[in-house]
Amino acid sequence: MKRLGLKLSSGIGRALSHKIKQTQRLSRKTAAVILLLMGAALVSLVSLGFAKLADYALHLNAKWSQQYPMAAFAVLPISLMLIVWFTRRYAPYTAGSGIPQVLATLSMPKVKGGNRLVALWRTALKIPLTFLGMLAGASIGREGPSVQVGAAVMLAWGSWCKRYNLAFKRLQDKELLAAGAAGGLAAAFNAPLAGVIFAIEELGRSVSLHWERQIFIGVLASGFFLVAIEGNSTYFQGFNAGQPAEHMLRWALLCAAVCGVAGGLFARFLSKGATWLALPQWRNWMRRHPIWLAGVFGLMLAALGVLFDGQTYGTGYDVAAAALHGQTDLTYGLAGAKWAATVLSYWAGIPGGIFTPSLAIGALLGVHIAQVAGVEAPAAILALLCMAAFLAAATQAPLTASVVVMEMTGSQSLLFWMLVSSIAASVIARQFCPQPFYHFAAGRFRQRVREELLREGEARQAESAAK
């Protein structure tokens, strides 16, 4: 009996010990999931605050530019010069979209200082700087900046959790960056599925990532948190084109051809930079005086804005929404003006994305096709197809372009035709700009960081030798 009691006691002890360990493992996993959701919530809240600020900036810009249109010739050049000066002095890694900075960081080796492109406090300056650019009237968006800020927030949160041994032991910095970046896109567009596709197609294109389920949970959670706060409303509300029109293949290929050429040239102009078309005797001056150059581009942006009644300012959301509602009375040539305004804004060197302006350019190209084709053209559908096609041509990411436009408009019935247009446009665009724009720009940031790390290493060696 004594042996039986000992065996029974030993068995109960082992079972109890096993249950305690199992409970501890479950508790750790639960805590890790909760902390991941908290990080996703932070990304969503930052993106939501950024969106509210951007909407306010666009509202103020529309107000002053309508009341005092000629003031743009003073406001835009002075504002752009001040933004460029501040950016170059205090936040040099916030210039441009923000997506190239994330891609460059993902492809950097794990070295001290390699994450400087997404350092939290400097990256956070991208929010007020983008706000000021929109307020002045630059043709920029907030979605690319939301990607960089989201990556910085999630990386900082994950690093804090790791420092105190709370969670994310298995996740590398690259995985945290990918989760934050894609979560930022999902929250910016209220499009959780597009965030996942963006992570796979764009972030994972040229870098090896371990696709832990935690990454996808973080991305989807960022989008769902925004849905919980703002409601399940689409970014472009009220689009209802119904079922596909007749001769959809013809319309899809026509949109692909127009947007493939326009988007490919758009990406090429962005990649080459302002000095590409300048006379040789001007190029040195342009490189030496970026602040004055930003003022010149500000004057050109003001001229476009005055000529087109302020419709080239900001993201272009209003004209894109009008196009999706089938309005064909928009100004002829507005797509070309918005195209030029976005290129000039990017060349100026201010923080701001190209994502939403690209959607606006695409929608306007669809309107122009409908204007030329006549009354039988399905204007709203053409605007939709061209939105996806132009974005795909500009970024060479057709799946992301199609899915994000589908979620932004609620146009699931037309997803197949958006994919046809997007893939064809991406192939055409590659003839004008073989390397995807975001990855081309990422290469420049990556080279810049490597040179800085090399100089810092040489300085440390010299200091050690002097001692």
Side-chain angles (χ1 to χ4, degrees):
M1 287 293 292
K2 189 174 182 179
R3 285 184 179 180
L4 181 61
L6 288 172
K7 285 183 179 179
L8 183 61
S9 175
S10 176
I12 293 173
R14 284 196 300 271
L16 184 61
S17 176
H18 176 71
K19 287 295 182 184
I20 291 172
K21 290 180 180 178
Q22 189 178 43
T23 303
Q24 289 176 340
R25 285 197 297 270
L26 288 173
S27 298
R28 286 196 296 270
K29 289 181 180 179
T30 302
V33 171
I34 291 173
L35 289 168
L36 177 64
L37 294 177
M38 289 174 66
L42 284 174
V43 172
S44 290
L45 290 173
V46 171
S47 295
L48 179 60
F50 195 2
K52 299 299 183 184
L53 272 176
D55 290 342
Y56 185 57
L58 294 173
H59 169 72
L60 291 179
N61 172 261
K63 193 173 181 179
W64 74 255
S65 63
Q66 290 299 319
Q67 289 183 350
Y68 312 103
M70 300 308 293
F73 287 100
V75 172
L76 266 165
I78 294 173
S79 298
L80 265 57
M81 290 170 70
L82 290 173
I83 293 170
V84 170
W85 173 82
F86 187 92
T87 300
R88 294 176 69 87
R89 187 175 179 85
Y90 298 106
Y93 304 129
T94 63
S97 165
I99 295 176
Q101 289 90 319
V102 174
L103 294 173
T105 305
L106 286 172
S107 59
M108 287 286 293
K110 189 176 181 180
V111 295
K112 185 178 180 180
N115 291 337
R116 63 185 61 192
L117 294 174
V118 288
L120 179 60
W121 298 115
R122 284 196 173 185
T123 301
L125 290 172
K126 200 175 188 89
I127 295 176
L129 291 171
T130 304
F131 170 85
L132 292 174
M134 289 182 173
L135 178 61
S139 180
I140 54 177
R142 62 173 171 84
E143 287 72 25
S146 295
V147 170
Q148 186 182 6
V149 174
V153 168
M154 185 63 86
L155 179 61
W157 174 252
S159 300
W160 184 83
C161 291
K162 285 182 180 181
R163 187 181 305 124
Y164 293 99
N165 201 28
L166 297 175
F168 309 134
K169 287 183 180 179
R170 293 177 55 193
L171 283 182
Q172 299 179 7
D173 287 353
K174 292 181 179 181
E175 277 74 47
L176 290 167
L177 275 173
L185 182 77
F189 283 122
N190 202 3
L193 180 58
V196 173
I197 301 298
F198 173 76
I200 296 172
E201 183 181 34
E202 194 66 46
L203 300 182
R205 178 178 294 185
S206 60
V207 64
S208 177
L209 290 172
H210 299 293
W211 294 109
E212 298 277 354
R213 64 187 179 90
Q214 290 171 298
I215 297 178
F216 297 120
I217 291 173
V219 175
L220 291 170
S222 294
F224 291 145
F225 273 120
L226 196 72
V227 170
I229 297 170
E230 291 287 279
N232 191 23
S233 58
T234 56
Y235 188 82
F236 289 103
Q237 298 184 21
F239 175 79
N240 186 20
Q243 295 301 314
E246 294 183 1
H247 311 296
M248 277 300 297
L249 181 59
R250 181 183 68 185
W251 292 121
L253 293 179
L254 177 60
C255 291
V258 173
C259 293
V261 174
L265 291 173
F266 180 73
R268 188 172 182 82
F269 272 67
L270 294 180
S271 300
K272 290 293 186 178
T275 58
W276 176 44
L277 297 177
L279 296 173
Q281 59 267 31
W282 293 358
R283 290 174 185 170
N284 287 334
W285 182 90
M286 294 170 72
R287 295 189 182 101
R288 290 197 308 267
H289 301 92
I291 296 174
W292 287 108
L293 184 62
V296 173
F297 290 144
L299 288 172
M300 297 169 73
L301 286 170
L304 285 171
V306 171
L307 186 62
F308 287 89
D309 196 25
Q311 294 180 92
T312 59
Y313 298 146
T315 61
Y317 176 89
D318 290 338
V319 292
L324 288 171
H325 284 86
Q327 294 185 24
T328 57
D329 57 348
L330 298 175
T331 309
Y332 280 95
L334 183 55
K338 187 64 177 173
W339 186 101
T342 307
V343 171
L344 291 171
S345 299
Y346 182 84
W347 280 357
I350 63 173
I354 64 165
F355 223 95
T356 316
S358 294
L359 294 173
I361 295 168
L364 290 168
L365 286 172
V367 170
H368 291 338
I369 292 173
Q371 288 172 335
V372 172
V375 292
E376 75 277 3
I381 291 179
L382 292 181
L384 181 80
L385 293 179
C386 283
M387 284 176 71
F390 186 86
L391 182 60
T395 62
Q396 293 187 25
L399 294 180
T400 300
S402 300
V403 173
V404 77
V405 172
M406 177 199 74
E407 286 195 278
M408 290 168 66
T409 57
S411 53
Q412 289 82 355
S413 62
L414 295 168
L415 177 60
F416 173 77
W417 296 110
M418 283 189 282
L419 283 169
V420 171
S421 292
S422 297
I423 293 171
S426 184
V427 171
I428 295 170
R430 206 167 292 133
Q431 313 310 311
F432 298 90
C433 188
Q435 188 176 5
F437 162 67
Y438 285 141
H439 292 266
F440 181 89
R444 288 181 171 173
F445 279 107
R446 186 166 53 247
Q447 181 62 28
R448 183 174 172 181
V449 172
R450 285 173 178 166
E451 291 173 356
E452 290 179 358
L453 291 173
L454 181 61
R455 286 196 299 268
E456 290 170 4
E458 291 174 348
R460 284 193 297 267
Q461 289 178 0
E463 186 178 348
S464 300
K467 291 179 180 179

